[in-house]
Amino acid sequence: MTETQDSLTGQVALVTGATTDVGRAVAAGLAAREATVYAATESMSDDVPDGCEHVLLDVTQEGDVEAVVDGIYAETERLDVLVNAAEFGRPEEGRDTVVTEDVTRLDRALATNVRGPMVLAKHALPLLLQQRAPRVVNVGSALGPTVGSGAPGYQVSKAGLEAFTAYLDAEYGSRGLLANTAYGPEGDEEGVAETALWLARLAGGGPMGEAFVGPDERV
């Protein structure tokens, strides 16, 4: 059984997309284990779980990303966990194809789901890599770990996010970074959240550069 940390006292986490079902559940779960949790949303009128610090963050804007990471450093001087749960472009009514999907929607999906986590890593890694067991959790598609039809921007960007997980492992795994992708049973938001929270609690020496559909259950 992979070792996880029951108590996160003294650790600091940044969770994007804290208004999504997955982001909210992960932020609440980390806070319940005594981590200092920065729950990021695109509006300060959004609700975040009790016990979390609410921060304003649009992951498509590098200025927002830099300001939030700099603010975390100023307040805590550390970052142990980054959970990329912000997302855009899930299927709406009908089944868009690459021919029918609006380009503005396509661009937003790519910017939010794969470029955003890359920009966050650019600014957060200098803090993360100072810690003993730094974790990056990329939240994969709620449609499942394979690419199917419909919602091309969403599905392709989520596949790109998993590729970014592999890149992070290749580049920084030797420095102890635990970067992994969280999935769950197809369409099961609670399952995705359970997987993401488990990955966010990994102890040093845990899995790196992998994708999971449940705790200790690899894709």
Side-chain angles (χ1 to χ4, degrees), residues 99-162:
V99 174
T100 61
E101 186 161 56
D102 180 80
V103 171
T104 300
R105 183 175 171 82
L106 181 67
D107 287 344
R108 181 74 182 185
L110 294 169
T112 302
N113 301 346
V114 65
R115 179 182 176 275
M118 294 179 76
V119 174
L120 274 155
K122 172 182 173 65
H123 290 279
L125 278 169
L127 277 181
L128 286 164
L129 293 173
Q130 294 178 30
Q131 306 310 315
R132 174 181 165 273
R135 285 91 74 198
V136 174
V137 181
N138 291 325
V139 177
S141 170
L143 301 178
T146 58
V147 177
S149 61
Y154 178 79
Q155 296 210 64
V156 171
S157 61
K158 287 294 190 174
L161 184 60
E162 185 173 337

Side-chain angles (χ1 to χ4, degrees), residues 3-219:
E3 184 181 356
T4 57
Q5 304 174 67
D6 291 328
S7 172
L8 300 175
T9 301
Q11 296 192 33
V12 178
L14 171 59
V15 180
T16 72
T19 56
T20 66
D21 290 342
V22 173
R24 186 176 182 84
V26 173
L30 293 173
R33 290 167 174 81
E34 305 300 327
T36 297
V37 180
Y38 290 85
T41 75
E42 292 188 12
S43 172
M44 293 305 289
S45 64
D46 293 327
D47 292 327
V48 299
D50 292 341
C52 295
E53 301 289 334
H54 192 181
V55 292
L56 185 67
L57 175 59
D58 178 347
V59 300
T60 70
Q61 303 299 314
E62 186 178 15
D64 281 13
V65 172
E66 188 171 15
V68 167
V69 174
D70 286 351
I72 292 172
Y73 176 75
E75 292 177 4
T76 69
E77 297 188 347
R78 68 183 295 159
L79 183 63
D80 300 84
V81 186
L82 170 62
V83 180
N84 289 305
E87 65 173 26
F88 178 84
R90 286 195 189 190
E92 296 179 339
E93 291 185 9
R95 295 186 64 81
D96 278 332
T97 69
V98 73
V99 174
T100 61
E101 186 161 56
D102 180 80
V103 171
T104 300
R105 183 175 171 82
L106 181 67
D107 287 344
R108 181 74 182 185
L110 294 169
T112 302
N113 301 346
V114 65
R115 179 182 176 275
M118 294 179 76
V119 174
L120 274 155
K122 172 182 173 65
H123 290 279
L125 278 169
L127 277 181
L128 286 164
L129 293 173
Q130 294 178 30
Q131 306 310 315
R132 174 181 165 273
R135 285 91 74 198
V136 174
V137 181
N138 291 325
V139 177
S141 170
L143 301 178
T146 58
V147 177
S149 61
Y154 178 79
Q155 296 210 64
V156 171
S157 61
K158 287 294 190 174
L161 184 60
E162 185 173 337
F164 184 52
T165 296
Y167 164 80
L168 287 173
D169 178 57
E171 194 74 60
Y172 300 104
S174 62
R175 297 178 62 179
L177 183 68
L178 305 172
N180 294 283
T181 304
Y183 292 101
E186 185 172 339
D188 180 357
E189 293 293 281
E190 290 186 6
V192 179
E194 180 185 13
T195 304
L197 181 58
W198 174 75
L199 289 170
R201 296 170 44 232
L202 290 178
M208 300 176 174
E210 299 191 66
F212 291 83
V213 293
D216 264 327
E217 187 178 352
R218 291 169 171 80
V219 170

